[in-house]
Structures are given as structure tokens and as C-alpha cells.
Amino acid sequence: MGFPYESKSIARIPGSKSLTNRALLLATAATGVSRIRDPLVSDDTVAFRTAVENLGARVDSGPLDAFWDVTGIGGSPVGPAGVWCADAGTAGRFLPPFAATGRGTFLLDGSAQLRARPQEPLYDALLKAGARTSAAPGGGLPLTIEAEGLDGGEITVDSSMSSQYLSGLLMAAPLMRRGLVVRGARLVSRPYIDMTLSLMRRFGARAHERGDGEFVVEPGAYTATDVAIEPDASTASYFFAAAAVTRRSVTVPGLRSGSPQGDLRFVEVLARAGAQVDVGRAATTVTGSGVLRGGFDADMGDISDTFMTLAAIAPLADAPVTIHAIAHARLKESDRIAAVADNLRALGVVTEVGPDRITIVPGPTVPARITCHGDHRIAMAFSVLGLDAPGITLDDPGCVSKTFPGFHDEMRRLFPRYQLPVGAADMTKEAL
């Protein structure tokens, strides 16, 4: 905590991956040309863009990718088509329902990491909706769909592992012959469903919630519109956390009150930890107080993509921190609970875990090499700890390109003390 307080710094946070990929799908299904302003340009969004182009959309880039103009196909796709999802979970979960509403044969596949992620609840829901499909064991990729359109109707999808299954079904629902009434059983990460519904309505869908967790989408069509993409709240969490542990002040313009991104609520957790937080109508600012308070239990079930950010800085707090309701984080790019616990223990930090929780006991750290498991969020979270814990290196610093290729450069710009957390033998092309 040896940093002096400095004047406010402006963090340059790229656009939201969640908003960018949802907008790409809805613009593809729409009639007309939609403009997506300030899209995120990263591994996941480029993979999604390529996928919708393979399904018939045309995407034209503005200067420096300031915007993407998407010429939609005016409904459902027509096969045959192959779709490569790479590592993008949103592509693997959003595109199968959309393809199933179309006509022809579609083959969807992805990387070994994406193939290993659970997909059975979505596969079961597609069968209930009338899809003709075959998949790898457990309903995962590769997935083949012999599409003849979907009738829709009433179904329930197990949403205890991911809200993306439900989002994918909702976005495809207007293209089903009877629309859809769908219930997300044991729904996690609810704010992402609100984001999905909000964007669907922007594109002209008639969708609403009826009762607790039951959603009704009428059959219809999507109409092209313009969408401005906010800075990514999950990515902003690392810079807000860095402010909290360095006594600096970081502002993210465009991330403001009323944001559809649930992960902006991470700043409420930082406020409990002693940071000063201002969520305004034009920007959000976090200022570190000089002391990171612990001694609290945080339910991060709805904002689980940011639990690693808190866990990584918790060793610097003045009392233990427990994070719970995050069982579904075990099913992301890695088993994130286990990965965080193992890395903290390698740093000499006492850590306890349960099926859906992790407790971190503050204490001094020792130098260690962080195992990223190819997971961008592990790399970024432990990079923040590296601001105040010397000797941290990453085994895969380049994995941040999944959502923020310029992460290390921006950290270095805002925090001059930041050292790229790689060893001499690990200097990737990005690091050089």
C-alpha cells in the first residue's frame, strides 16, 4: 500500500464482450443494416463475428474498428454452414438455438477448451423445442443440427451452470413459429438475462417476464438498429481493484448508473472493502483509501466473473474475506475456484474452499509463478495483486487477448510501477 494518492486517471477500457456478441447475433437476425459502435475487438468477439458471417451476415468495419455495420439476413440462417466458435462460450451457447430456427445442416465446433465446457442443459432444451441435433457426449461440441425451423412452445432449461443457455434460447425465440415460454431453473447470473432482454427489445422483439423466472417471447422479427457498446464492466473491475490497493483514483467514462452490466456492482464490493466509489450519470470512479478492509462475506453469484478480482487482492486486506454462491465458476474457462485457491497457496496465502465458496486469509506473499490455465480472468486478476506483491509472474500473459489484448499496456500506463508479470523465458509476442 505504498503508493501516494494521485489525481484521477482515466482508464481506457474496451467495449463489453457480452453486449458486443449479443448485438452481433441480433443484428444478424434483423432486417436491414445495424451499426454497432465501439465494439470490443478481441479473440472472442472476432470469433463471434466470423461465425455470424459464416451464417450469412455481412460485417463491414469502420476506421480503426470504431464501428461495425452488420447487414442482417432478415430472419433465420440457411445451411449448409460450418461455424467455428474458437474459445468463445457465447458463440457455443448463443448460436446453436439460432441455427436450429433455420433450414439446412449446421456444424458447430470449437477449441478443446470450449469442447470441455458443459452444454447438456442447452442440448436438452433444443431437443424439447423440436430440434434435430446430435452432439458429443454431454451435449457438447461438436454439435450438428439438421434444421427445419423450431415450433417453440413451453420449455424449462437448467440454468444452474450458466445463464448463457437461457440467453441463447431467448434470442432465438422470436424466430420460432410459436414463440417461446421458457423458465430458467436455478438461474445464476441473472443480470445477464436482463441485458439479453433489453437488447432484444432494442431490436424490436416482444419479450417480457411473467412471474418468477418465466419468460415469454412472442413470434416476430428483428429490425436493424444502432447500438453503442459500453466499456466492459468485468474488465473494468481489474482497474478499479488496482485503484483500491494503490490509493489511486481511476475513472471509467461511459460506465454509469443504469448500466445493463451486472458486473458494475463489483464496485459495491470495493466500497465494503473501504474504497470510495462514485457511480455517476457519465462515469464510474473508484479511489483507494489506503486500507483494504476485510472481515466480510460477499455473495457474488450474480457477478461471478469478478470474484477472482476480489480474491486476488484479498491477501492485502486487514481481515479474512469469504466469497460464496460461485459454484458455477467451476465450469468456466477453468475451474476458477480451484485455480484461484491453488495460485494463492503457491503465493503462501492461507485459503479455504468449499463447493461454492472460497475464504482468503490475508498475509505476506512469496514470489510465485501463476498458472493461468489459459484463462484471461486469472491472468488479469493476479496482475493486480502483482502491484503490491513482488515476484509474481504469469505462465501465459498473452491469454488476456481473449477480452483485452492491450491489458498489460494499459496497466503500465496507469500504474508506472507495474511490471509485466512474466519471466524472462516467457516473453510472448505481446510482451515484446
Side-chain angles (χ1 to χ4, degrees), residues 14-26 36 38-42 44-45 48 88-91 94 162-164 167-168 171 189 191-200 203 227-235 259-264 302 305 332-333 376-377 402-403:
S16 163
K17 178 185 77 171
S18 299
L19 289 169
T20 298
N21 282 353
R22 282 167 172 79
L24 275 170
L25 176 54
L26 297 173
I36 302 175
D38 301 316
L40 171 64
V41 182
S42 72
D44 271 14
T45 59
F48 204 106
T90 48
F94 294 172
S162 175
S163 64
Q164 289 177 355
S167 280
M171 287 189 284
S189 302
Y192 286 99
I193 300 302
D194 295 332
M195 176 192 295
T196 297
L197 292 169
S198 176
L199 269 179
M200 288 172 62
F203 281 86
V227 178
I229 304 298
E230 293 180 353
D232 192 289
S234 306
T235 299
S259 167
Q261 298 182 77
D263 281 359
L264 182 55
D302 281 345
D305 276 353
K332 300 280 189 174
E333 284 86 338
H376 56 134
R377 301 211 180 281
K402 183 176 175 69
T403 49

Side-chain angles (χ1 to χ4, degrees), residues 27-28 81 187 249 279 292 393:
T28 296
L187 176 60
S249 184
V279 182
L292 194 69
T393 60

Side-chain angles (χ1 to χ4, degrees), residues 86 212 274 360:
D212 183 22
I360 302 99

Side-chain angles (χ1 to χ4, degrees), residues 207-232:
H208 65 275
E209 184 173 2
R210 182 178 70 190
D212 183 22
E214 186 173 80
F215 304 93
V216 179
V217 184
E218 298 178 30
Y222 288 117
T223 302
T225 190
D226 287 2
V227 178
I229 304 298
E230 293 180 353
D232 192 289

